[in-house]
Amino acid sequence: MTSPLPEPAAMGIEAIRVAIASGHTTSRMRAITALQPYTTETCVPLLLECLNDQAFLVRSLACMGLGYKPNEQGRLALLRVLQFEGDPNVRAEAANALARHGPELALKPLLELYEKDSHWLVRSSILAALADEKGVPAEVLLELAEKAMADADPTLQESGKQLRLKLQRERFERLLG
């Protein structure tokens, strides 16, 4: 009989390291979740290790963590994920995470990815992530909305319409002051 896994909040950093090194998918997922209160310097090396996991859920959680613990090493890792990862779920999460690094670092690679990666989930994630970030120029968002509305995928078409409506509502609110 195996002992129950500790709650993520109860895991100390050594238990997290052991869980990540175990290679056990559930343990690694719990360990990634337990990293939340730790510093970026502590978390990023452990999250980078998880990017090589066989389970796409572990890789996705690691990408998410790199978005919440942004630094240059994590940003470069996310760019590699966007370029080389085969699973669109992981690429989509990496796009979300990269957007959290700020538009000055994320905008150009995410716009390039939108053009290159035709998977609806990746494109939808880019739309949503950039729409949520402060500092993304409205013209860029409007151009993305137009591209999405012209896409053959109905999910992207709807996302584009919603983004355009959001931009119109924000412009109207600014006019009303």
Side-chain angles (χ1 to χ4, degrees), residues 22 37 41 47 52 58 60-61 64 84 97 111 117 146 154 156:
S22 75
E41 293 74 27
L47 293 168
N52 299 316
V58 172
S60 291
L61 279 175
M64 183 185 298
F84 298 112
L111 292 174
D117 195 323
E146 298 297 328
L156 280 170

Side-chain angles (χ1 to χ4, degrees), residues 12-166:
I13 193 64
E14 287 312 313
I16 292 170
R17 285 189 173 104
V18 168
I20 286 174
S22 75
H24 185 263
T25 299
T26 304
S27 296
R28 287 184 120 181
M29 289 170 52
R30 294 174 71 76
I32 292 169
T33 303
L35 283 171
Q36 183 181 4
Y38 293 96
T39 66
T40 298
E41 293 74 27
T42 299
C43 295
V44 169
L46 295 168
L47 293 168
L48 293 175
E49 185 178 332
C50 293
L51 290 177
N52 299 316
D53 200 274
Q54 292 296 318
F56 84 91
L57 286 172
V58 172
R59 296 192 312 275
S60 291
L61 279 175
C63 288
M64 183 185 298
L66 291 171
Y68 287 110
K69 302 290 183 177
N71 74 1
E72 185 63 10
Q73 190 179 15
R75 185 182 72 83
L76 293 173
L78 290 168
L79 290 170
R80 282 190 301 277
V81 168
L82 293 175
Q83 186 174 3
F84 298 112
E85 173 62 50
D87 191 299
N89 295 290
V90 180
R91 292 194 312 273
E93 194 56 59
N96 281 324
L98 184 60
R100 289 188 205 104
H101 285 246
E104 61 282 345
L105 296 174
L107 189 58
K108 184 177 187 262
L110 289 178
L111 292 174
E112 289 172 357
L113 181 65
Y114 190 92
E115 294 300 322
K116 182 180 86 172
D117 195 323
S118 61
H119 196 279
W120 71 269
L121 182 58
V122 174
R123 285 184 168 180
S124 292
S125 294
I126 292 169
L127 284 168
L130 290 178
D132 286 344
E133 284 300 312
K134 301 287 185 225
V136 177
E139 312 80 60
V140 170
L141 292 174
L142 185 56
E143 184 178 332
L144 270 178
E146 298 297 328
K147 287 179 181 181
M149 288 186 306
D151 197 285
D153 186 275
T155 302
L156 280 170
Q157 292 170 6
E158 185 59 31
S159 294
K161 289 175 189 173
Q162 293 302 315
L163 178 53
R164 187 176 63 184
L165 287 171
K166 176 185 185 237

Side-chain angles (χ1 to χ4, degrees), residues 2-16:
T2 60
S3 59
L5 295 171
E7 287 298 316
M11 292 178 79
I13 193 64
E14 287 312 313
I16 292 170

